[in-house]
Amino acid sequence: MFVSASTRCFADLDFWQALQQIHDLEYDKVEIWMDEDGALKPSVVLSDIDAFVAQFHEATRMSPVAFTLAQEISITEFASLCKLAKLLKVTQIVIPSSPLGTPFNSEIDRLKEMCKMAATEGIRVGIRTEKGHLSEDAHTAVELCQAIKGLGVSYDPSYFLTHPESTLELVAPHTFHVHLRDSTVQQVQVQVGLGEIDYSDIITQLSKENYRRALSVEILPDRLGTDHRALELRKIRMLLDSLL
């Protein structure tokens, strides 16, 4: 396992400034957050992937470990994203599952097509566990993984604090990626050390499944000012490093 940070932590900044902020906080691996309503729009990036690759290599020496999408993209755009991932040696793409109410079989068909496409480039696909989507229920997320070859879960423990141990045991065998911040049942984000996230237990359970991928720090920018975010990113990096 290794520690990375998501550019979502500084999503209110220019993308290239966000990269610099994360590098200055002594991270050497980065998760790239893409949001059509944000600083790094997938439609813009995917319109010229060679230009993005060149600019990324010029801007930083950090290793990109994952692309994470805020919204669903078309299958044509997803094909381009897989090509971009291959060029940057990114092996993980995290996508949102469909909204609650979407027929289960329709979601299986959609995800199967994406997983098949990604597999040809040697890339894993994970669905985020998040509220308002089919994956907000851990059992549903796991059922999707069981039904679709090559699909995994991008596990966010902040949303499962009412039953953290049983949920982690359920999703750990299917986990391809992890998003971390400190949280309580009442608040999805609190200062590191004031929450209920058991980082040690997460690492222990994932180790049992031979998980060797990212523990990606994802601070939600609308809940903390820039200076406080930098402090939280330092604190959680040091904490995770001490546990690994």
Side-chain angles (χ1 to χ4, degrees):
M1 275 176 264
F2 53 84
V3 180
S4 66
S6 171
T7 56
R8 188 183 188 184
C9 298
F10 297 103
D12 51 339
L13 303 181
D14 173 80
F15 172 74
W16 307 105
Q17 290 178 321
L19 279 183
Q20 187 60 51
Q21 287 269 7
I22 291 169
H23 177 268
D24 290 347
L25 292 167
E26 300 182 16
Y27 285 83
D28 60 2
K29 295 178 177 63
V30 64
E31 174 186 348
I32 297 174
W33 169 257
M34 291 187 174
D35 184 350
E36 203 58 48
D37 299 319
L40 192 69
K41 303 179 188 302
S43 60
V44 174
V45 172
L46 299 176
S47 66
D48 191 343
I49 60 177
D50 291 330
F52 181 79
V53 170
Q55 190 171 1
F56 184 88
H57 285 316
E58 184 176 342
T60 184
R61 292 184 179 179
M62 288 190 295
S63 300
V65 298
F67 289 124
T68 298
L69 296 169
Q71 303 96 0
E72 184 179 346
I73 59 176
S74 71
I75 196 65
T76 301
E77 289 176 317
F78 186 76
S80 296
L81 183 61
C82 289
K83 292 178 182 176
L84 174 59
K86 189 172 183 179
L87 288 171
L88 284 177
K89 299 181 180 179
V90 170
T91 58
Q92 179 68 52
I93 295 176
V94 178
I95 61 175
S97 60
S98 293
L100 286 173
T102 302
F104 191 76
N105 288 338
S106 297
E107 181 69 339
I108 287 177
D109 291 341
R110 180 182 79 94
L111 294 173
K112 269 186 178 178
E113 185 176 10
M114 299 175 88
C115 287
K116 184 177 180 180
M117 183 176 292
T120 63
E121 303 287 0
I123 297 163
R124 297 181 299 264
V125 177
I127 49 172
R128 270 185 90 99
T129 53
E130 57 183 333
K131 296 294 184 184
H133 295 254
L134 292 175
S135 58
E136 78 168 29
D137 179 78
H139 288 87
T140 300
V142 168
E143 286 174 8
L144 286 168
C145 294
Q146 292 170 334
I148 302 166
K149 182 179 179 181
L151 182 69
V153 168
S154 178
Y155 177 55
D156 189 333
S158 295
Y159 299 105
F160 298 102
L161 284 173
T162 51
H163 305 286
E165 293 180 1
S166 59
T167 300
L168 179 55
E169 187 176 348
L170 176 67
V171 303
H174 306 279
T175 297
F176 282 3
H177 194 69
V178 178
H179 290 110
L180 292 177
R181 68 191 72 79
D182 214 349
S183 309
T184 65
V185 173
Q186 294 78 24
Q187 292 181 277
V188 71
Q189 183 168 289
V190 296
Q191 292 181 20
V192 175
L194 300 181
E196 301 169 27
I197 301 295
D198 190 337
Y199 303 100
S200 179
D201 187 49
I202 291 170
I203 290 170
T204 298
Q205 289 291 335
L206 291 175
S207 295
K208 292 178 181 178
E209 302 297 334
N210 295 314
Y211 182 85
R212 302 182 185 279
R213 304 178 185 119
L215 301 172
S216 193
V217 180
E218 187 188 72
I219 303 297
L220 304 177
D222 58 338
R223 295 170 185 264
L224 278 177
T226 304
D227 292 341
H228 287 97
R229 269 177 270 163
L231 177 60
E232 292 299 293
L233 278 157
R234 277 198 179 94
K235 286 162 58 178
I236 196 168
R237 178 183 57 77
M238 293 173 68
L239 173 59
L240 292 172
D241 282 344
S242 73
L243 294 172
L244 291 175

